[in-house]
Amino acid sequence: MKRAIKPTSVERKMREDDFIVSKTNAKGIITYGNPIFIEFSGYTEEELLGSQHNIIRHPDMPRSAFKLVWDTIQSGKEFFGYVKNMSKDGGFYWVFTHITPDLDLSGNIVGYTSVRRCPSVEAVRKIEPVYRAMLEAERSAGARSAMEAGTNVLLEIMNQSGVSYEELVFSL
């Protein structure tokens, strides 16, 4: 389903009272998307359901950022972060996301719920250069060590600031 969509410079701004909600199974396949998710993604509900959630991944997002997401939520923890998504038409929209694991009665992860809201302009302004540096490190490192290189950029920023990832995100 994922097509080679060319990103554009057209930004879609979330409204202050918008909440984008989606649910996936444990493998990241979309099982639910609210009307605002459908609106901002530009895909129909039929196109979204059954697709990998990365259908909306923007190429400006470093792969190592998504590794952090997956490592966090697969360990059963919640994740907070800023993400640049891409619409079906190539446009983009920034979100502040909160992802939580969905558990069955035995405590096993059966899926994930993501609730996204409008990020502050200031936070986006601060996170963009971090993602650019991570992406550049990934590209410079080559396929074998790209994830490690991107992650090391983030770790260095956290070390210099003396904060954890969550503290960094909430300080933006």
Side-chain angles (χ1 to χ4, degrees):
M1 161 108 238
K2 182 102 168 156
R3 291 175 245 162
I5 298 170
K6 184 175 177 164
T8 70
S9 60
V10 177
E11 181 175 7
R12 304 183 71 180
K13 296 246 186 202
M14 287 188 67
R15 299 166 295 263
E16 283 296 320
D17 58 348
D18 279 345
F19 284 92
I20 294 175
V21 180
S22 60
K23 292 177 89 48
T24 69
N25 67 17
K27 296 189 185 291
I29 303 295
I30 299 169
T31 59
Y32 169 78
N34 75 342
I36 297 173
F37 178 51
I38 294 166
E39 173 190 344
F40 274 85
S41 74
Y43 291 95
T44 65
E45 184 176 30
E46 293 75 24
E47 289 173 312
L48 289 170
L49 297 180
S51 295
Q52 278 290 142
H53 205 282
N54 67 6
I55 192 171
I56 60 169
R57 182 182 179 276
H58 196 285
D60 287 351
M61 286 297 299
R63 289 181 11 215
S64 50
F66 289 108
K67 181 180 183 327
L68 173 64
V69 172
W70 277 105
D71 288 350
T72 302
I73 61 178
Q74 287 178 327
S75 74
K77 297 176 186 163
E78 63 186 340
F79 176 85
F80 294 90
Y82 293 91
V83 178
K84 183 177 186 179
N85 289 324
M86 187 165 69
S87 301
K88 183 179 179 180
D89 64 4
F92 69 94
Y93 57 102
W94 280 95
V95 297
F96 178 67
T97 189
H98 177 215
I99 306 170
T100 56
D102 299 330
L103 308 175
D104 66 13
L105 294 176
S106 300
N108 299 309
I109 296 174
V110 295
Y112 303 98
T113 298
S114 178
V115 178
R116 281 118 37 217
R117 63 181 188 242
C118 184
S120 77
V121 172
E122 182 69 12
V124 170
R125 187 184 66 72
K126 289 178 179 178
I127 200 69
E128 280 183 302
V130 173
Y131 288 160
R132 273 195 302 274
M134 291 172 70
L135 197 58
E136 181 57 37
E138 287 178 5
R139 289 178 178 150
S140 297
R144 287 194 159 187
S145 54
M147 288 290 195
E148 182 180 350
T151 299
N152 286 342
V153 169
L154 182 59
L155 290 174
E156 181 61 29
I157 290 168
M158 290 166 29
N159 288 337
Q160 287 175 358
S161 303
V163 296
S164 69
Y165 174 76
E166 276 195 355
E167 290 170 327
L168 176 67
V169 166
F170 286 117
S171 73
L172 298 179

